[in-house]
Amino acid sequence: MKMQALISLSCSCVLLAAGAAALGQTTSDASAADQNFVHEALMGGMAEVDLGQLASQKGSTNDVKQFGQKMVEDHTKMGNRMKGVAAQVGVTPPAALSPKDQALKTRLEGLSGAQFDRAYIRAMVKGHEADLQAFHKEASSGTSQAVKDAASQGATVVSQHLEMIKQIAVAHHVTVNSAEASAKSGR
């Protein structure tokens, strides 16, 4: 009887140790900066989806509406991939927009026509410039290979979006102060 209890206790300890080791492996190579990047990328992606839905509905021109729809599609895909990375590095995906993103969404909801288009375009240029910088930084200096890979893949998509929205900005005669964009995301 004592032997059976000892074996059972030993098995439980081994299982607990294995579980702790497995848990440690998911976060061991992810720094706090990596985890912060993943959280911020998920927050930003959620905002891009919400704002993209708004643009696809409220945009007054086809190019703004189509760009908004592209944001919904691409950032939903990126978000799903990033959620897998988040699980690996111990980050809980956010449930709601940041206060800053919610304020931008509320402001855009109050606009219509060309005013909406201009404000959305400015926000997208500024946001994508800042995001591209953050994705490049994480891809080059992150500690977790999974996060670095996700950042590298994300940088490619964000770069494409930035080029698209810059072309739309030119077509709409919208100027954006890039120096300001590098200081803050505009979202």
Side-chain angles (χ1 to χ4, degrees), residues 5-141:
L6 185 59
I7 291 171
S8 178
L9 180 60
S10 295
C11 288
S12 295
C13 288
V14 168
L15 289 174
L16 283 173
L23 182 60
Q25 285 176 341
T26 62
T27 60
S28 65
D29 67 339
S31 68
D34 291 337
Q35 292 173 328
N36 185 58
F37 169 80
V38 170
H39 178 73
E40 292 298 317
L42 287 167
M43 290 289 288
M46 185 187 317
E48 296 292 353
V49 170
D50 277 14
L51 297 174
Q53 289 171 337
L54 191 61
S56 68
Q57 296 163 4
K58 290 191 71 149
S60 68
T61 59
N62 282 336
D63 55 353
V64 170
K65 287 180 180 218
Q66 289 170 354
F67 183 81
Q69 187 56 43
K70 181 145 185 70
M71 293 303 93
V72 171
E73 294 166 5
D74 289 356
H75 283 279
T76 297
K77 288 177 193 171
M78 283 176 58
N80 289 337
R81 276 186 247 128
M82 193 62 76
K83 285 177 185 173
V85 173
Q88 291 177 31
V89 299
V91 173
T92 302
L97 293 178
S98 72
K100 184 170 138 183
D101 291 335
Q102 184 58 55
L104 174 59
K105 182 178 178 185
T106 300
R107 185 170 67 85
L108 289 173
E109 287 172 333
L111 300 175
S112 60
Q115 268 190 321
F116 173 87
D117 289 354
R118 284 191 301 273
Y120 178 73
I121 291 166
R122 279 190 194 98
M124 290 299 100
V125 171
K126 289 178 182 180
H128 281 84
E129 285 178 342
D131 292 347
L132 185 58
Q133 187 176 18
F135 274 76
H136 279 308
K137 180 181 177 191
E138 182 63 27
S140 66
S141 65

